[in-house]
Amino acid sequence: MMKVVLVGCGAMSKHWLDAARRIDGLAIAGLVDLDAERAQARAREYDLTNAVIGTSLDAVLDETKPDAVFDVVVPAARREVALSAFAHHSHLLTEKPLADSPDNARAIIAAARQAGRVHAVVQNRRYVANVRRIRRFLDSGAIGRPTSIHADFFIAPHFGGFREEMRHVLLLDMAIHTFDAARYMVAGEPASVYCQEWEPAGSWYRQGSSASAVFDLGGGKVFTYAGSWCADGFRTSWEGSWRIVAERGSLLWDGHDGLKAEAVASGRDGIIDKTQAIEVPALDPADRVDGHLGIIQDFMRAIETGTEPETRGADNIKSLAMVFGAIESAETGRRVAIRQDAE
């Protein structure tokens, strides 16, 4: 049985606890939140009658001695939680983003390495079935090597609370999902970015609800991102809307179930090459899916087998670097080189 303490019992914790109760061999040994009543309410909601409840993570870790910590706190508290978990010899699975700054991200990764603990990030869009299908399809070479990746994200959520007061809200709180998916689908290695942010008239956010960015993903691959969190009408999926152009064709994904591809065929219509529809194969049985559930299971498997999870912090920092590179570019008006290393 793997014992886990979950810290941060706000709205996002429901996704974690919904997944956790579906996993045999996992027990929630403790719940921690600055608001003790909120933690107690989560314990009642999920019938965690034996869980230790507290406002101090260190105290609950001392009492429960768990195998792992699930970190669902706000990004500003991420480093403190991580260092506490590693000091108590616990593995760590954390909500995205990995950290609230590049320096804190590198500090967390260094601490995990020094402690010899597994550290991973809930980058749950990687575990979306069509993201997996796209990666396998592109790897097959059916339309050649990808050259241009385009993602649109237009939704208008009224969250209330801290998000509406954040700076760089779209880039810092949401865009990493799209950036990480792009990096994964085309096996990209981010090298540089140019980004512009703006606040449209009528926005209910403090700053940075809309952004456009162009990334160099290496190997001749360019990724463009256009997004807004205050765009009413014709909203995209939360996964975005995608067009991937390759050497011999293109792929479209609407972010839902609409996934299709065309490849160059023989002959031309005037000056335009003919194309024909080709099948994007179904999900491979070996692919890990199921969002939070899939990631938690992958994390547990890594602990049990001594392997590394796919969304390990030392890899995820590359996606986080895309976020902070875009923010730096937006603030300076310059193209910014992206630092990928975790040192």
Side-chain angles (χ1 to χ4, degrees), residues 145-311:
R145 292 177 298 179
T147 59
S148 305
I149 305 95
H150 308 280
D152 289 339
F153 178 88
F154 294 99
I155 302 181
H158 292 263
F159 291 110
F162 73 92
R163 285 183 179 87
E164 294 186 5
E165 296 301 320
M166 284 177 64
R167 285 178 50 78
H168 311 294
V169 60
L170 180 65
L171 291 173
L172 195 57
D173 194 62
M174 185 64 200
I176 191 168
H177 285 304
T178 313
F179 295 174
D180 184 74
R183 187 170 73 86
Y184 171 74
M185 289 191 290
V186 303
E189 293 292 332
S192 66
V193 59
Y194 176 78
C195 180
Q196 182 176 355
E197 286 180 311
W198 65 99
E199 208 54 49
S203 170
W204 48 95
Y205 293 89
R206 176 189 173 199
Q207 192 272 329
S209 68
S210 300
S212 180
V214 180
F215 291 90
D216 176 357
L217 291 185
K221 296 184 284 282
V222 173
F223 167 47
T224 71
Y225 171 83
S228 176
W229 252 357
C230 59
D232 288 304
F234 302 108
R235 71 185 186 195
T236 64
S237 158
W238 283 90
E239 318 309 334
S241 177
W242 296 77
R243 176 188 289 264
I244 298 177
V245 181
E247 295 169 311
R248 299 189 301 276
S250 293
L251 175 145
L252 295 179
W253 179 36
D254 65 2
H256 297 288
D257 295 326
L259 180 57
K260 56 187 178 181
E262 291 185 348
V264 173
S266 59
R268 288 181 176 170
D269 286 326
I271 60 173
I272 306 297
D273 287 330
K274 291 183 178 180
T275 58
Q276 61 184 13
I278 58 172
E279 181 182 2
V280 179
L283 189 69
D284 190 284
D287 282 327
R288 297 187 292 272
V289 293
D290 289 333
H292 279 73
L293 176 62
I295 287 181
I296 292 173
Q297 290 174 323
D298 194 20
F299 175 71
M300 292 176 64
R301 188 180 303 113
I303 293 171
E304 292 163 353
T305 62
T307 58
E308 290 188 317
E310 180 175 319
T311 59

Side-chain angles (χ1 to χ4, degrees), residues 69-89:
V69 170
F70 287 173
D71 166 12
V72 202
V73 301
V74 296
R78 194 82 74 219
R79 177 173 177 165
E80 181 180 354
V81 167
L83 297 184
S84 179
F86 298 141
H88 286 80
H89 310 292

Side-chain angles (χ1 to χ4, degrees), residues 312-331:
R312 61 194 179 277
D315 177 77
N316 187 255
I317 196 172
K318 297 179 182 180
S319 298
L320 188 65
M322 294 174 71
V323 171
F324 287 115
I327 289 172
E328 182 182 347
S329 176
E331 289 180 337

